[in-house]
Structures are given as C-alpha cells and as structure tokens.
Amino acid sequence: MIEEAAKLLARSRFAIAFTGAGISAESGVPTFRGFNGLWKKHRPEELATPEAFQKDPYLVWEFYKWRMDLIKSAKPNRAHYALAELEEMGILKAVITQNVDDLHREAGTRTLIELHGNIFRVRCTSCNYKENLKGSGRLEEFLAEKDLPRCPDCGSLLRPDVVWFGEPLPRRALHEAFRLAERADLVLVIGTSGVVYPAAYIPQIVKETGGKVIEINPDESGITPIADVFLRCPAGEAMEKLMR
Ligand code: BV8
Ligand code: ZN
C-alpha cells in the first residue's frame, strides 16, 4: 500500500493535502471527536456555535482560552513537517486544512488555506477589528484577562476568528480551496473524519475531476469509500514512510 501511495505521489503533477484534527493528534492536540466530554462534559459542537456564544459568552471564551492555552505549547509533528518538505520539493502545491491550531504554518507550509479560521486570531463582533494574538505578542496577557475581551476600537465583544457550526466559511478561502481541488490530480487526505461540510467536499471534487485520493487515518472515515489508497495508520508513521 505504501509503495502504491509513493508511486502515485511521485507521478502526480499537482498534489494537494487536505487535513483534519487527526494530523495534530501526535502533537498532543485532542481531535474534535476525541474532545467529546473532554472539557467540563461539554461537546465541542454545542460550544462552537453562535447560539452558545450569544447565550453564554463567558463559557465559550473559557472553552476557547482553555484550547488556546493547550495548543500554544503544541509543536508541529513529523506529519506537518513532511507536508512542508513536499511543498519545498515542488510536489505539494498547497495544504487545505480544517484545523485552527496554526501548526501547518509553524511547520513551514507556505500555501495554506485555513477553511475554519485560526484559534489565535480574534475579531470584533461589530466592526472590522481583527488581531493575531501570536503575531501581536499579546497572547499571554489576553489569556490572563478575567473579563470578556472587548474591541479596543468600538468596545463590542471580541470573538475567536474561527468558523462556528451554522456559519458560512470564509468565501475567498473556500473558493480558492475548490479551485485547487479542481486542478489537483492527487489529494493526500490526512486525519479527518470527513463528516463536516462543506470542507468534506474537497476530496470528492478531486475524485470527480479525475484525481486520485490517498487517505491516511488509523480508522475508516467518511472519505474512505472514495479513497484509491487507504493507509490505515497514524499520520506521522505514514508520512515518514512516504518520504523515504
Ligand atoms: C455551514 C472551527 C452553512 C471551530 C469547525 C447535515 C449534513 C451536512 C451538513 C450539515 C448537516 N447539519 C449541519 C450541517 C452543517 C455543518 C456540518 O457539516 N455538521 C456536521 C457535524 C454534520 N457544517 C457547518 O455548520 C459549516 N457551515 O454549513 O454553514 C451556511 C452557509 C451559508 C450561510 C450560512 C450558513 C461550518 C463547519 C465548521 C465548524 N467549525 N472548527 C473550532 O475548531 O472550535 S469544524 C471542527 O470539526 C474542526 O475544525 C474540524 O474541522 C471538524 C472535525 O473534523 P475533523 O478535523 O475531521 O476531526 P475529527 O475529530 O472529526 O476526526 C479526527 C480524525 O482523525 C478521525 O477520523 C481519527 O480517526 C483521525 N485520527 C486520530 N488520530 C490520528 C488520526 N489520523 C491520523 N493520525 C492520527 N494520529
Ligand atoms: Zn469593534
């Protein structure tokens, strides 16, 4: 199976990667499905919604600050680095990720599409104010604040700059991702349960436009039925073998 995947990758002319929470599992970041009940018995799906934020912004900010604190000390793993290396080699043209943990950027991926935003960015609920807390160096100070975070320009509540369930994905990112999927002759699908839409359309578009699908996941997923090669193992191990 690995040989077949390596051959497809070597023969590809326009390969892309589509990643989910599973690629960051070996960096110690809990997967979404793995989250269930992990934080105060809440399910992420019930907290990552505009309704939850409307109802109890304190609870939602407590959840996101807990995750930011957890993710800020996570490091990219060999799967993240392998994708950055494949891009360096000119084999991989882009990484399209559902993850909000910034680990692909930290690993050096340059053409990165974050379909669901980034947990270290905050934005105003009223005006266009946006801040990258990692870039501005205010992350620790922000996490230590007890009160609800407010916009320095207009005083409204700040929210995490991520896409919640029921919210549309950023138009440009989604459009760019669909265009890349149409051009791709191969997609490496790594660590996703493939149940969240419209992101989960990406591998289907590659397939429908004649491309090949290689899936890396220790379990079956919503993508497995369309995978040409299914590498049933953790991302780090599979990517290391693929790079040999
Ligand atoms: C929208 C940011 C409309 C927030 C996230 C019924 C049918 C179809 C769609 C829907 C439906 N009901 C509702 C919907 C829409 C909904 C949806 O798809 N729901 C699902 C649950 C059915 N989608 C939406 O709401 C989207 N918006 O549709 O808007 C609209 C349009 C116009 C105008 C108005 C409205 C928005 C979806 C985005 C939600 N935000 N994240 C945050 O992070 O806090 S999604 C969130 O869940 C994650 O970001 C991630 O993307 C997703 C979880 O998916 P995965 O990444 O796959 O992670 P998961 O834990 O599920 O799986 C991990 C996998 O890794 C597993 O397979 C595991 O086996 C594997 N693994 C584990 N260890 C390893 C590994 N793999 C490799 N190596 C390992 N070591
Ligand atoms: Zn504002």
Side-chain angles (χ1 to χ4, degrees), residues 67-80:
R67 281 176 69 197
M68 289 160 90
D69 198 44
L70 184 85
I71 293 171
K72 75 172 199 261
S73 29
K75 292 277 159 265
N77 62 61
R78 45 193 177 151
H80 294 105

Side-chain angles (χ1 to χ4, degrees), residues 20-22 25-26 31-34 48 64 67 98-100 116 162-169 191-198 216-219 233-235:
E26 292 157 74
T31 65
F32 236 69
R33 302 283 164 279
Y64 276 92
R67 281 176 69 197
Q98 301 172 88
N99 300 339
V100 297
H116 296 155
V162 299
V163 180
W164 279 331
F165 286 99
E167 292 186 324
L169 275 58
T192 182
S193 53
V195 298
V196 174
Y197 283 86
I216 297 171
N217 193 323
D219 293 339
C233 70

Side-chain angles (χ1 to χ4, degrees), residues 24 38 45 51 72 74 77 91 103 119 137 148 192 201 210 218:
S24 300
L38 192 72
E45 287 83 9
E51 294 74 27
K72 75 172 199 261
N77 62 61
I91 296 174
L103 290 179
I119 201 163
L148 283 175
T192 182
Y201 284 126

Side-chain angles (χ1 to χ4, degrees), residues 58-69:
Y58 272 104
L59 180 72
V60 174
W61 261 119
E62 213 188 332
F63 172 59
Y64 276 92
K65 286 192 171 184
W66 176 78
R67 281 176 69 197
M68 289 160 90
D69 198 44

Side-chain angles (χ1 to χ4, degrees), residues 123-130 150-158:
R123 66 181 162 88
C124 180
T125 48
S126 311
C127 74
N128 292 331
Y129 177 81
K130 207 175 251 205
R150 296 224 163 254
C151 173
D153 295 350
C154 76
S156 302
L157 265 184
L158 293 179

